[in-house]
């Protein structure tokens, strides 16, 4: 059973930076990719960034050039968020993908079987 724990959320102003972390435990050998999603009330969970094989990354167009995903080659994945905007306000979730389809196709929440509890990011104007 893969377990994920996010940290690093908070309240910032527009233009600020924030770095989220996600620690993975239990069954990490089965994990093919790690992704960050975000969700606001009333909307579907949106894929933000994904990493597999430590360097193959994918970003949502809305964050490309501002957010950067990386890992520590062990059990932690990071999301560096720069030039934050009020529309980045959401609960951010870390998710683990276990198969090739999940980890190569468009980020789709229902394909990811394991999730963290989420961390709130609030960006004020």
């Amino acid at each position: 059973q893969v377990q994920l724990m996010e940290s690093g959320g908070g309240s910032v102003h527009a233009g600020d930076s924030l770095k989220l972390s996600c620690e993975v435990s239990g069954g990490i050998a089965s994990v093919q990719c790690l992704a960050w999603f975000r969700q606001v009330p009333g909307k579907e969970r949106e894929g933000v960034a994904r990493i597999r094989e430590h360097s193959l990354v994918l970003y949502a167009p809305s964050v490309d050039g501002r957010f950067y995903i990386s890992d520590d080659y062990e059990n932690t994945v990071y999301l560096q968020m720069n030039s934050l905007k009020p529309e980045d306000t959401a609960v951010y979730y870390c998710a683990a993908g276990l198969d090739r389809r999940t980890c190569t196709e468009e980020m789709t929440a229902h394909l990811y079987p394991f999730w963290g509890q989420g961390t709130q990011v609030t960006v004020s104007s």
Side-chain angles (χ1 to χ4, degrees):
Q1 187 82 355
V2 179
Q3 297 176 319
L4 305 104
M5 177 69 73
E6 304 96 337
S7 61
S11 296
V12 297
H13 292 98
D16 287 350
S17 297
L18 206 57
K19 187 173 184 177
L20 305 182
S21 300
C22 173
E23 184 175 336
V24 185
S25 61
I28 192 170
S30 63
V31 175
Q32 296 297 308
C33 64
L34 291 164
W36 288 96
F37 285 76
R38 65 186 180 187
Q39 189 170 27
V40 297
K43 291 192 175 182
E44 293 186 359
R45 202 164 287 191
E46 170 195 25
V48 174
R50 182 183 67 213
I51 188 168
R52 66 182 178 94
E53 299 178 20
H54 306 298
S55 61
L56 300 177
V57 297
L58 174 70
Y59 296 101
S62 59
V63 307
D64 199 3
R66 298 189 298 122
F67 289 14
Y68 299 94
I69 189 170
S70 62
D71 67 44
D72 68 351
Y73 283 76
E74 292 187 3
N75 66 336
T76 304
V77 63
Y78 305 98
L79 185 67
Q80 176 68 46
M81 304 185 293
N82 301 326
S83 303
L84 282 161
K85 304 176 181 180
E87 50 264 44
D88 294 319
T89 295
V91 177
Y92 283 72
Y93 297 91
C94 180
L98 307 184
D99 61 88
R100 180 173 179 79
R101 177 193 176 195
T102 300
C103 298
T104 57
E105 296 185 358
E106 181 180 349
M107 290 179 281
T108 304
H110 72 83
L111 295 179
Y112 290 76
F114 297 105
W115 294 83
Q117 83 291 346
T119 185
Q120 177 71 45
V121 173
T122 302
V123 184
S124 58
S125 58

